[in-house]
Amino acid sequence: MTKLNIGVLFLLLTLVFSCKKKNDDSVLGLDVQPINDLVGITITDTASVYMYTQQVDSVRTYSDQYKYLGSNMDPLFGRTDASIYTNFSISNNLTNVTFGSNPVIDSAQMVMVFMGDAIGDTLSSLTYDIHVLNENLDASRSYYSSSHISYASSKLCSVTGKLKVINSNVCLVLPLNNNFAQYILQTTANLTNNTAFQAAYKGFYITTSNSTLGGPGSGAIRRFDLDNDLSGVNLYYHDGNSASSKGQVFQFSFRGVDALRFNEIKHNYAAGATPNLYDQLNYNPLTGIHSDTTKGNANVYLNCFGGT
């Protein structure tokens, strides 16, 4: 063996013995970690997880273009009413709008484009009520499904709503009070710009909560697109000073930079909810009897529509 080979062998033996652990069975760090600081694991087969349904007070509802409207008697959750609060504005932010020296209203209608999405029986008849708001919607405020805006008790409309096809779009068309529409036409001081317009006409509360529903599954809640070009308030009018005047139309829009709207959702579990769910949610303040949380052993109920 050469001197070079002997040197290499000695170096390898030195490295092997200098790196050997003091105890092959030891765990790195145990020699410096106090024994009472070691991580412990306990296994048990006696712990239980209990689940039951709780009612959610509300969920956030945003000022996006899609809004729900209708009433449905859900076979599990009972009656649900989805209503809309919305403002409206002069289309395209026009200023100093005028309809002539003697505009006369022929008819007025609210149009909302149906997106094709619905729950419940879409063949059911619903009663649509429209009220004017007493206060403006606030862009700085967060609205929830339980939020409420003051509105007039009188109605601009109370009809059994019908869906119609307009320019290949299925739309909900609701007639509006002609006196209200005539006032808009002739009051030019409110038509100078959208600031003046929305100060005078704060918006609408649209609801089907007065609809009479039948058994489980009756009624329907539909999704509408308020930003569609067809959605808005249409005023049909003519010039009262001209016998030959032809009908004209002007649209006030739900869309635009000034658009504000939100959904109000109301649940009535006492009307049609499955007994198992109702028992889990029910609390009687007169008797002091609380919800029966043990019913969660059978079923729990999740509802993303501001409910449970």
Side-chain angles (χ1 to χ4, degrees):
M1 183 177 290
T2 65
K3 291 183 179 180
L4 177 61
N5 290 337
I6 293 173
V8 171
L9 177 61
F10 177 78
L11 177 60
L12 290 174
L13 291 174
T14 302
L15 290 173
V16 169
F17 285 102
S18 64
C19 293
K20 183 175 177 60
K21 300 176 183 178
K22 295 195 305 181
N23 184 346
D24 290 338
D25 296 328
S26 64
V27 179
L28 181 64
L30 287 182
D31 54 339
V32 297
Q33 183 177 16
I35 191 66
N36 59 345
D37 286 345
L38 299 183
V39 177
I41 298 176
T42 302
I43 299 176
T44 176
D45 59 0
T46 60
S48 299
V49 176
Y50 295 95
M51 298 178 66
Y52 61 91
T53 310
Q54 283 190 319
Q55 186 170 349
V56 178
D57 175 62
S58 63
V59 294
R60 178 79 181 272
T61 171
Y62 294 90
S63 186
D64 60 302
Q65 70 192 86
Y66 302 115
K67 288 291 164 278
Y68 296 91
L69 178 64
S71 299
N72 171 239
M73 188 67 76
D74 188 90
L76 288 179
F77 292 95
R79 177 158 183 153
T80 301
D81 296 299
S83 304
I84 298 174
Y85 290 94
T86 183
N87 64 4
F88 67 127
S89 61
I90 303 173
S91 296
N92 301 315
N93 271 315
L94 297 176
T95 58
N96 299 312
V97 175
T98 179
F99 300 103
S101 60
N102 187 24
V104 178
I105 194 72
D106 294 320
S107 64
Q109 62 184 21
M110 178 183 291
V111 178
M112 290 184 287
V113 174
F114 175 44
M115 294 299 297
D117 303 322
I119 57 172
D121 179 10
T122 55
L123 297 179
S124 300
S125 296
L126 296 175
T127 299
Y128 293 85
D129 295 332
I130 302 177
H131 303 257
V132 295
L133 299 183
N134 292 329
E135 57 183 289
N136 288 104
L137 298 177
D138 185 352
S140 65
R141 176 180 170 184
S142 296
Y143 291 101
Y144 293 82
S145 57
S146 60
S147 296
H148 177 80
I149 299 295
S150 173
Y151 56 83
S153 58
S154 58
K155 301 174 183 178
L156 294 179
C157 165
S158 184
V159 297
T160 300
K162 297 181 179 180
L163 296 180
K164 298 180 180 179
V165 177
I166 303 176
N167 297 340
S168 301
N169 292 276
V170 179
C171 304
L172 176 66
V173 180
L174 303 174
L176 292 177
N177 181 279
N178 277 359
N179 292 332
F180 173 76
Q182 180 66 42
Y183 183 78
I184 293 177
L185 284 180
Q186 65 189 29
T187 313
T188 56
N190 297 332
L191 299 171
T192 55
N193 53 45
N194 266 326
T195 299
F197 182 82
Q198 292 184 342
Y201 313 108
K202 297 173 174 56
F204 304 106
Y205 175 62
I206 313 160
T207 184
T208 60
S209 59
N210 289 322
S211 299
T212 300
L213 302 182
S218 62
I221 297 175
R222 296 179 172 90
R223 186 167 71 120
F224 294 91
D225 181 3
L226 299 190
D227 275 358
N228 190 285
D229 289 344
L230 293 176
S231 295
V233 174
N234 298 329
L235 303 188
Y236 300 89
Y237 66 99
H238 67 273
D239 181 1
N241 293 332
S242 174
S244 61
S245 173
K246 295 182 179 180
Q248 301 182 65
V249 60
F250 187 89
Q251 183 194 60
F252 294 91
S253 179
F254 291 133
R255 65 187 181 278
V257 296
D258 299 313
L260 293 171
R261 50 274 178 109
F262 72 92
N263 265 129
E264 178 189 54
I265 309 296
K266 292 182 179 180
H267 298 275
N268 186 354
Y269 300 104
T274 183
N276 183 277
L277 169 62
Y278 181 73
D279 289 344
Q280 291 183 60
L281 299 178
N282 186 40
Y283 168 69
N284 188 333
L286 298 178
T287 63
I289 298 176
H290 287 267
S291 323
D292 187 353
T293 59
T294 63
K295 294 294 181 69
N297 294 337
N299 295 100
V300 291
Y301 303 83
L302 303 180
N303 186 344
C304 63
F305 212 32
T308 62

